[in-house]
Amino acid sequence: MTLNVDTPAPARPEGPRRASGHRSSGRGGNGLARFDLRATPYFLVSPYFLLFAVFGLFPLVYTAWVSLHDWELAGDKTFLGLDNYAELIADEAFWNAVVNTLGIFVISTIPQLVLALMLANALNKRIRGRLFFRLGILLPLVTSVVAVAVVFTQLYGRDYGMINWFLGLFGVEAIEWQNQSWTAWIAISTMIDWRWTGYNAIILLAAMQTIPKDLYEAASLDGASPRRQFWQITVPMLRPTLVFVVFVSTIGGLTLFAEPVMFEGNPTMAGGATGQYQTVAMFIVKEAFRDFDMGYASAAAWMLFALILVGILINYSFTRRIGGKK
Amino acid sequence: MLNNKRQGKLAAVAVMAATALAITSCGSSEPSKPAADGGSASAAAEPVTITVHTFGGGENFGYDEAVKKWNAEHPNIQVKYQNLTDRFEDVYLPQLLQKLQAGSGTADIVGIDEGAMGLMKARPQFFADLGQYGLESRKADFPAAKWENGLNKDGKLFALGTDIGGMTMCYRKDLFEKAGLPGDREEVGKLWPDWNAFMEVGKKFQAANPGKGDPKFLDGPNTLYNVVLSQEGPKNGNIAYFDTNNQLVIDKNPAVKTAFDTVKSFSEAGLTAKLASFTPEWNAAIKKGGFATMGCPAWMLGVVSGAAGDENKGKWDVAAVPGGAGNWGGSYLAVPAQSKHPKEAAEVLNYLTGKEGHVLAFQEAAAFPSSLPAQQDPAVADLKNEFFNDAPTGQIFGASVKDLLPLFLGEKHAQVKTAAEKVLEGMDKGSIPYGEAWTKFVEAGTKAAG
């Protein structure tokens, strides 16, 4: 993608006025028309690439440059080379954030996608009030993340939260959900799942509806059970969509930010006293805007970028195999 | 805050782009800034708006009345005053630094907590030289230490003092009486000459409130810690986390260890409500009577009355603090170099940090004046605080700031403070075992300083 960025630039300034000067060579308007034919598509797609260059490519490159410095926010800047990366790799707090991020990702995304698949399958059947249910599962998506997080954080409150009240009915002691990693991970995962399961289900549902009906008819005639049809026809046919859903979930999960921040209740970005639920995105913000160490934060941002790439490659190799053992 | 998980990356990239652009653009614009733009002639012709940004909970800086008065008297210079947030270190300060770096977006006058003064002193390029506008003449109005903290590393005056902390103990009169303790502030003060006595009172109070939903004796680790640190610092070379060469001494300064140990003992004795200060839960507990005491510098009275609301008038009171005098907090006002009207801003700053501004702020938010003429003014010296049962706060704080030496705070004081107190909160809540807390505390402070 990045390779294409440069191409529109030279094409643009070659306006019609310039071309008209060379027209005397004899081939007439033909050259202009051909130029028009070749240049216009580039010109038309260029806004995207220009925006991408300004808001995507430039920050990417600039972050890399900053990450090579001891770059204090509103302060001194000294060139360090790769020292920030070396320090980061040895930094327990960073790896703690990575573990938290992966932990939350695993316990939120896997149930979420399985549930979304089941929901989509159910909604693909003939049921009463289908439109109502289809809209219903998408509804959580229109609420703001912050609102979701605030409400869930109250539900998970130590003293007056509904979840502790409910658990209390079975004699469970009041849990301070923020206090331990695994309880915090569960709490945060429920927020994510509540909001995103329906979204993924709708995408999978749309994909299911493109599967030709005659495949199912043929399978029925051969005596395949609905369950078998689901695993042998639906899931394999969904593969491209599943790959997409998994990619997007991976990117979203690894850059998780708003939910844990709101769950903490104050904007220190520490993710609990010992960073029990500090994600990598929080770590970056904390380093840059709480400890004012932009260089270190930039290095962490690049590490996150690398992590996402690795995550996507792993997930791709998994999803590629779905239904592939024919 | 990002409002969409999927767009998180995109938004983050956009933020980085904006920051990056800001960083590059500021390099070129800096040198041309200090020149005052708009001479006095044009300034008189059309009204100039001077914006003032501050921070703090409850009634914070207490400038509503002072600003109203100024605006009525100065049609040509209108002041717009806004309190941005109740959190300084992790909200106000990063935003201020970003705007300073970007070269635009700050107010014409900004409030700065003493904790960040070391950081600002080291960045003289961002602030107007107030000496240029004749404010050097104010030197005699301030205690020497407060004045000197407003000089940057080049020795130029860039900030003038607003309030000074002083130290008292706020307590819930009604809860004390219910627990069979005296309610009168003189008697309460006599109950606790030192922290050991305070602990004994606490145990008595807790014994009378054994239930799960009952109030706790103390709010949490933060206020107690800062009070003790402010008392012990002056006994140990007048420093906190950094020595005067800006070297980290968090593990060597006995004042820090004493403050830490005091918090630990109260937490272990189960006397804290386990609330971190300046959080919504903490505010709610002030209002609902979730705890009975908390350390109160003068400015904290405004935080308490603001959080508790009028319906709790008379329930809180102020007594002498165990362990003697100390100073926690107190702020400064400065004019960023990017201000378009530095001359007028300096005039307003002069007014707000002058006698009148100080007195009005004290009446509104109980923030005790650092200005000496204001301290001696009968309006301050004789003032009683209606919210706190008509406590003679002028007298109480006047006595507590006499001979006061504010601590030397290093350039990275704010970062170290945040990180270290986070560990205290964790210890109090139980996520860090008491045995490991000191090591974690030093580690966190060292990391934040690095």
Side-chain angles (χ1 to χ4, degrees):
Chain A
M1 192 192 284
T2 49
L3 284 174
N4 292 341
V5 172
D6 299 346
T7 40
R12 230 169 359 111
E14 303 286 328
R17 198 189 305 161
R18 252 268 198 92
S20 66
H22 299 280
R23 211 180 293 169
S24 57
S25 63
R27 268 190 260 156
N30 206 3
L32 179 64
R34 203 190 301 163
F35 175 77
D36 185 37
L37 207 63
R38 260 191 298 161
T40 308
Y42 288 109
F43 182 72
L44 290 177
V45 296
S46 66
Y48 167 78
F49 288 105
L50 288 175
L51 283 176
F52 176 76
V54 173
F55 293 109
L57 195 65
F58 171 72
L60 220 61
V61 174
Y62 197 78
T63 309
W65 173 243
V66 171
S67 75
L68 301 178
H69 294 73
D70 179 10
W71 189 298
E72 223 179 316
L73 182 63
D76 300 334
K77 299 147 182 68
T78 1
F79 189 80
L80 283 182
L82 293 173
D83 284 9
N84 276 329
Y85 291 92
E87 197 184 325
L88 200 59
I89 285 168
D91 187 345
E92 268 176 50
F94 175 72
W95 292 112
N96 171 57
V98 171
V99 168
N100 285 335
T101 310
L102 293 177
I104 296 171
F105 171 67
V106 168
I107 64 175
S108 69
T109 308
I110 292 174
Q112 182 190 42
L113 292 185
V114 171
L115 198 65
L117 197 58
M118 300 295 162
L119 270 173
N121 192 44
L123 289 174
N124 201 23
K125 302 245 159 69
R126 257 175 228 275
I127 49 169
R128 211 175 289 228
R130 205 160 59 163
L131 187 67
F132 172 79
F133 287 115
R134 285 179 181 177
L135 283 176
I137 58 159
L138 202 58
L139 213 55
L141 195 71
V142 303
T143 49
S144 101
V145 182
V146 173
V148 173
V150 166
V151 171
F152 270 79
T153 304
Q154 286 182 358
L155 291 178
Y156 283 107
R158 178 188 66 184
D159 297 327
Y160 309 110
M162 249 173 94
I163 290 168
N164 276 350
W165 165 80
F166 179 75
L167 292 175
L169 296 180
F170 304 98
V172 179
E173 281 270 317
I175 300 171
E176 174 133 20
W177 292 86
Q178 277 91 342
N179 236 354
Q180 272 173 305
S181 274
W182 67 273
T183 51
W185 291 1
I186 290 173
I188 293 167
S189 299
T190 54
M191 299 179 202
I192 300 168
D193 287 351
W194 187 78
R195 193 157 185 274
W196 291 104
T197 306
Y199 168 84
N200 287 326
I202 288 291
I203 290 183
L204 292 174
L205 174 63
M208 278 179 191
Q209 294 185 334
T210 64
I211 300 174
K213 289 275 180 296
D214 41 356
L215 284 177
Y216 292 104
E217 278 165 24
S220 300
L221 286 176
D222 286 347
S225 65
R227 196 193 176 118
R228 179 118 194 248
Q229 290 178 22
F230 176 73
W231 288 111
Q232 300 281 323
I233 301 175
T234 313
V235 174
M237 295 294 281
L238 281 181
R239 204 165 61 194
T241 315
L242 273 173
V243 169
F244 167 79
V245 166
V246 167
F247 276 23
V248 174
S249 299
T250 309
I251 294 171
L254 294 184
T255 55
L256 183 67
F257 181 72
E259 287 91 347
V261 169
M262 297 309 295
F263 187 57
E264 181 162 32
N266 62 49
T268 54
M269 303 292 156
T274 49
Q276 303 95 308
Y277 48 93
Q278 186 189 43
T279 62
V280 180
M282 288 168 82
F283 179 87
I284 294 170
V285 175
K286 180 173 185 293
E287 288 300 330
F289 300 112
R290 298 296 176 266
D291 297 342
F292 310 132
D293 198 344
M294 294 291 283
Y296 199 54
S298 302
W302 266 93
M303 292 285 279
L304 177 60
F305 183 73
L307 245 148
I308 292 174
L309 278 186
V310 172
I312 283 183
L313 281 177
I314 293 173
N315 285 337
Y316 181 64
S317 68
F318 270 118
T319 36
R320 214 170 42 148
R321 274 183 218 153
I322 291 175
K325 46 186 176 204
K326 271 179 222 166
Chain B
M1 202 108 340
L2 308 175
N3 56 12
N4 186 320
K5 175 164 81 112
R6 312 285 153 169
Q7 286 169 2
K9 180 134 184 281
L10 195 67
V13 164
V15 168
M16 276 183 240
T19 317
L21 285 170
I23 287 167
T24 35
S25 72
C26 107
S28 53
S29 63
E30 262 164 34
S32 62
K33 277 284 169 189
D37 108 327
S40 51
S42 69
E46 50 185 292
V48 170
T49 304
I50 298 296
T51 49
V52 181
H53 284 174
T54 62
F55 56 90
E59 283 153 9
N60 55 74
F61 276 54
Y63 283 159
D64 287 339
E65 283 306 314
V67 166
K68 221 181 269 171
K69 187 148 186 266
W70 169 277
N71 284 344
E73 289 168 6
H74 299 81
N76 285 332
I77 304 178
Q78 289 292 300
V79 175
K80 266 175 120 175
Y81 165 51
Q82 201 186 351
N83 191 63
L84 297 184
T85 166
D86 58 350
R87 301 186 68 89
F88 179 76
E89 283 92 352
D90 47 25
V91 177
Y92 184 90
L93 179 59
Q95 285 175 3
L96 177 61
L97 279 175
Q98 284 171 69
K99 290 174 189 166
L100 287 172
Q101 167 101 67
S104 76
T106 67
D108 296 301
I109 299 176
V110 295
I112 303 168
D113 180 80
E114 62 161 12
M117 284 302 280
L119 195 79
M120 297 305 176
K121 275 181 185 205
R123 290 160 172 74
Q125 72 272 27
F126 291 134
F127 294 99
D129 173 12
L130 297 178
Q132 215 180 314
Y133 306 105
L135 298 193
E136 291 278 5
S137 62
R138 298 287 311 283
K139 189 170 180 180
D141 291 352
F142 294 94
K146 191 84 182 173
W147 172 263
E148 268 151 33
N149 216 11
L151 306 178
N152 65 28
K153 69 170 185 195
D154 301 337
K156 296 253 169 64
L157 178 70
F158 79 103
L160 280 181
T162 59
D163 62 322
I164 197 163
M167 196 59 69
T168 59
M169 187 61 77
C170 290
Y171 69 100
R172 284 278 298 224
K173 192 176 175 192
D174 56 333
L175 296 180
F176 264 52
E177 284 168 350
K178 224 190 205 166
L181 294 164
D184 178 71
R185 67 181 72 91
E186 293 285 325
E187 287 175 54
V188 168
K190 277 182 201 144
L191 284 178
W192 51 53
D194 56 29
W195 291 105
N196 289 332
F198 188 70
M199 170 75 94
E200 292 313 310
V201 178
K203 283 179 180 160
K204 250 184 240 166
F205 179 90
Q206 219 58 75
N209 290 285
K212 238 184 162 186
D214 284 344
K216 292 286 181 181
F217 184 58
L218 264 171
D219 59 336
N222 312 76
T223 52
L224 176 65
Y225 172 76
N226 281 292
V227 172
V228 180
L229 184 60
S230 77
Q231 292 172 333
E232 294 297 314
K235 297 175 196 163
N236 293 286
N238 217 30
I239 53 170
Y241 303 116
F242 292 90
D243 67 15
T244 44
N245 299 322
N246 253 321
Q247 293 301 307
L248 186 76
V249 290
I250 186 170
D251 51 337
K252 298 184 197 85
N253 185 355
V256 175
K257 185 76 165 75
T258 310
F260 174 90
D261 287 338
T262 310
V263 172
K264 191 173 149 208
S265 64
F266 277 87
S267 176
E268 277 178 314
L271 300 181
T272 62
K274 303 188 191 302
L275 294 167
S277 46
F278 304 107
T279 55
E281 298 80 22
W282 183 73
N283 282 332
I286 291 177
K287 190 170 188 158
K288 291 182 186 156
F291 52 83
T293 65
M294 62 185 268
C296 270
W299 49 265
M300 192 68 99
L301 300 188
V303 175
V304 172
S305 58
D310 276 344
E311 68 265 32
N312 285 312
K313 210 180 208 174
K315 286 186 184 162
W316 283 94
D317 209 322
V318 190
V321 69
N327 180 64
W328 171 17
S331 301
Y332 294 80
L333 294 181
V335 176
Q338 58 182 255
S339 165
K340 293 228 162 64
H341 309 285
K343 185 174 156 289
E344 289 81 3
E347 271 178 57
V348 176
L349 186 148
N350 188 35
Y351 161 77
L352 288 173
T353 59
K355 184 173 155 187
E356 198 175 8
H358 270 298
V359 171
L360 288 170
F362 180 61
Q363 286 168 341
E364 187 173 320
F368 196 75
S370 60
S371 147
L372 299 170
Q375 284 180 14
Q376 284 140 19
D377 191 279
V380 170
D382 301 338
L383 189 80
K384 294 191 167 153
N385 192 315
E386 217 185 311
F387 183 89
F388 288 87
N389 264 321
D390 286 325
T393 44
Q395 216 180 312
I396 296 176
F397 284 107
S400 88
V401 299
K402 232 169 224 163
D403 313 316
L404 192 73
L405 270 172
L407 300 180
F408 171 85
L409 307 172
E411 186 179 335
K412 292 196 170 174
H413 175 86
Q415 290 106 297
V416 175
K417 178 182 190 298
T418 310
E421 285 187 31
K422 200 83 200 170
V423 176
L424 288 177
E425 290 163 19
M427 172 184 85
D428 193 36
K429 287 194 170 178
S431 60
I432 300 174
Y434 289 107
E436 296 168 20
W438 173 250
T439 324
K440 284 250 163 73
F441 180 89
V442 172
E443 265 174 25
T446 312
K447 183 147 190 293

